[in-house]
Amino acid sequence: MKNTLTIAFSLLFLTHISAQQKSMATLIDEQMNFAKDQYKVLAKNVPADRMPKALKDGKVETSNTKWWCSGFFPGSLLYIYEYTKDAEIKAEAERRLGILEKEKHYTGNHDLGFMMYCSFGNAYRLWQKPEDKRTIDTAAMSLATRYRPSIKVIQSWNSSAKFKCPIIIDNMMNLELLCWVTDNGGDAKFKDIAINHANTTMATHFRPDYSSYHVLDYNLETGKLERKITHQGYADESAWARGQAWGLYGYITMYRFTHDLRYLDLSKNIANFLLNHPNKTADLIPYWDYNAPNIPKALRDASAGSIIASALLELGQYSDDKERTKYVGAAEKMIRSLASSRYRAKKGENGGFLLMHSVGHLTGNSEIDTPLTYADYYFLEALMRYKKWYLKS
Ligand code: GLY
């Protein structure tokens, strides 16, 4: 009995080692081909005029196209198409872009970058259709209506009973749309707005340890910053994992467009905060909040893991050899974790989403330990970035 157990454990160990030793080329190929089949399952679970959102009671929850995540499904389909050239996936991407296009006029919040650039930005990158560029340009104009020159920020959400003029760290993710439009023949004002927003956020949102607050609330009449608080994190002074991820991704993107070394330094400082954190996990997929009260039993957030992995890969592009090894090595570890059975769903399960175990808004009792469209999107992006930048062809 003892011998049988020893052999069983040795085999398990060897299987584990050989899985660890799988080349990134093989892993990426397997994950992208899995995504091709799995997203056909997801597409069947989502009505033609809706977008996938999460999984609730075993069923795919969907949203209309005004939901901040509406760009991620078409964007993910485009990454899958880019890799696999599968005609069915391409047709699905085109159908979903078709229902999203009208949101280029949306001005109800700051999420236009997520919605219209993760989708149409990728479509234009692949196909250069003039009508897609016009959609992106219009979306930038819609987003710019939310710029508040007196405080040099884009207002994230409208004023409400809870907030006056809230600016959330997530907003850093909408700046890529603005920078891209200016750099591709558009008005210089869009990039100016993005730079002003990034500079204000750099000066106000970060703590001395380079973690960031979630929400800053301003009084628009006086221009005064009144509160530094959280909406989705554990506490006002905690480090909500996805917020840290948005900050890292946002600043490395801003460095790509501006070559402003202050943005690169901030990105490195955020990355180092995350990679040296005492509550960092062994597989590098973070708890939903770095200060969650029940660590090590706190839930993980695969979406934060995907976003951080993708951002670290870009950070590696602007780093010297030693730092690149650190950032890309961490990203690779995160990708391998996400691709493992701990996070990656089995074929046909999970409603058709790729990844399990994300947290949307725990304190709001919504989207807890569920798949989320953006976890999948940034996972696919990380796979594609790794292939483009770090695989020897
Ligand atoms: N931007 C909203 C979120 O990260 O949940």
Side-chain angles (χ1 to χ4, degrees):
M1 178 67 184
K2 195 173 165 221
N3 271 350
T4 319
L5 268 180
T6 314
I7 292 166
F9 273 115
S10 307
L11 278 175
L12 258 177
F13 182 66
L14 283 175
T15 314
H16 179 71
I17 292 288
S18 75
Q20 284 297 305
Q21 284 173 340
K22 182 183 288 178
S23 75
M24 282 301 282
T26 303
L27 182 146
I28 291 166
D29 194 55
E30 284 176 2
Q31 295 304 317
M32 295 308 295
N33 280 303
F34 170 81
K36 167 175 67 83
D37 295 337
Q38 186 76 345
Y39 260 43
K40 289 178 188 172
V41 176
L42 182 58
K44 285 200 176 66
N45 284 333
V46 181
D49 60 344
R50 309 274 297 171
M51 294 292 186
K53 195 178 170 208
L55 200 64
K56 199 173 180 187
D57 304 325
K59 284 216 152 79
V60 175
E61 234 192 322
T62 65
S63 74
N64 65 20
T65 50
K66 286 195 169 28
W67 177 243
W68 73 276
C69 301
S70 57
F72 295 124
F73 185 43
S76 294
L77 289 162
L78 290 166
Y79 279 134
I80 298 167
Y81 170 71
E82 186 179 3
Y83 188 90
T84 63
K85 300 291 182 283
D86 184 271
E88 214 181 302
I89 290 287
K90 181 182 185 203
E92 189 64 45
E94 287 172 333
R95 277 194 291 273
R96 302 292 168 170
L97 288 168
I99 64 163
L100 178 61
E101 188 256 353
K102 60 185 179 301
E103 304 305 349
K104 64 190 176 193
H105 298 298
Y106 186 62
T107 56
N109 62 38
H110 69 152
D111 290 316
L112 269 290
F114 283 122
M115 293 158 69
M116 307 310 286
Y117 193 76
C118 296
S119 51
F120 285 92
N122 276 312
Y124 188 74
R125 185 175 59 76
L126 293 180
W127 300 319
Q128 287 86 46
K129 288 188 193 160
E131 61 268 32
D132 288 345
K133 181 157 190 316
R134 283 196 292 275
T135 297
I136 300 167
D137 290 348
T138 304
M141 280 188 261
S142 302
L143 177 55
T145 64
R146 301 188 65 84
Y147 184 60
R148 308 290 174 248
S150 61
I151 43 177
K152 292 193 162 76
V153 285
I154 299 164
Q155 181 167 351
S156 295
W157 302 322
N158 295 339
S159 56
S160 63
K162 202 169 170 194
F163 304 113
K164 289 183 179 168
C165 174
I167 318 299
I168 65 175
I169 187 69
D170 322 29
N171 206 335
M172 285 301 302
M173 298 296 286
N174 294 305
L175 307 184
E176 185 172 10
L177 165 70
L178 299 174
C179 290
W180 187 90
V181 167
T182 295
D183 281 7
N184 287 272
D187 195 317
K189 80 171 179 191
F190 296 120
K191 195 166 180 177
D192 288 345
I193 288 173
I195 290 171
N196 283 345
H197 183 96
N199 289 344
T200 306
T201 300
M202 185 162 58
T204 51
H205 249 89
F206 288 87
R207 306 184 181 104
D209 64 1
Y210 300 104
S211 67
S212 54
Y213 289 94
H214 185 201
V215 187
L216 264 54
D217 200 21
Y218 285 86
N219 181 326
L220 256 187
E221 275 145 40
T222 62
K224 200 169 158 273
L225 172 59
E226 294 192 340
R227 294 184 302 158
K228 296 188 176 194
I229 45 188
T230 195
H231 180 59
Q232 281 157 267
Y234 164 60
D236 291 344
E237 289 299 329
S238 74
W240 174 52
R242 202 164 49 257
Q244 313 315 304
W246 294 143
L248 173 64
Y249 193 115
Y251 278 98
I252 201 59
T253 304
M254 282 307 289
Y255 175 71
R256 184 202 321 149
F257 281 101
T258 61
H259 306 294
D260 185 330
L261 285 171
R262 293 173 311 153
Y263 299 155
L264 181 60
D265 284 348
L266 180 53
S267 305
K268 288 182 181 175
N269 284 325
I270 300 169
N272 294 337
F273 169 81
L274 300 175
L275 296 177
N276 299 328
H277 199 284
N279 290 339
K280 168 183 89 171
T281 60
D283 67 5
L284 294 186
I285 306 305
Y287 299 112
W288 70 279
D289 191 301
Y290 283 85
N291 307 102
N294 52 341
I295 288 173
K297 291 198 172 145
L299 290 171
R300 305 298 184 88
D301 180 13
S303 77
S306 298
I307 300 157
I308 293 168
S310 187
L312 288 174
L313 292 176
E314 181 156 15
L315 184 54
Q317 289 287 290
Y318 316 128
S319 301
D320 62 26
D321 287 353
K322 193 167 161 227
E323 285 182 320
R324 186 178 312 115
T325 302
K326 177 172 67 173
Y327 298 135
V328 178
E332 180 177 330
K333 187 165 182 181
M334 298 173 88
I335 291 170
R336 286 184 183 279
S337 300
L338 292 169
S340 75
S341 58
R342 164 93 168 83
Y343 300 95
R344 223 292 314 277
K346 290 202 183 79
K347 197 166 171 173
E349 296 184 2
N350 207 32
F353 289 98
L354 307 179
L355 298 179
M356 307 176 281
H357 306 311
S358 289
V359 172
H361 188 176
L362 192 140
T363 54
N365 203 25
S366 132
E367 299 176 344
I368 299 168
D369 198 16
T370 178
L372 290 168
T373 47
Y374 41 103
D376 286 5
Y377 175 85
Y378 290 102
F379 176 56
L380 291 165
E381 182 181 83
L383 295 169
M384 294 299 281
R385 284 181 164 189
Y386 196 101
K387 176 177 179 288
K388 185 166 67 169
W389 292 331
Y390 301 108
L391 281 189
K392 291 179 196 80
S393 49

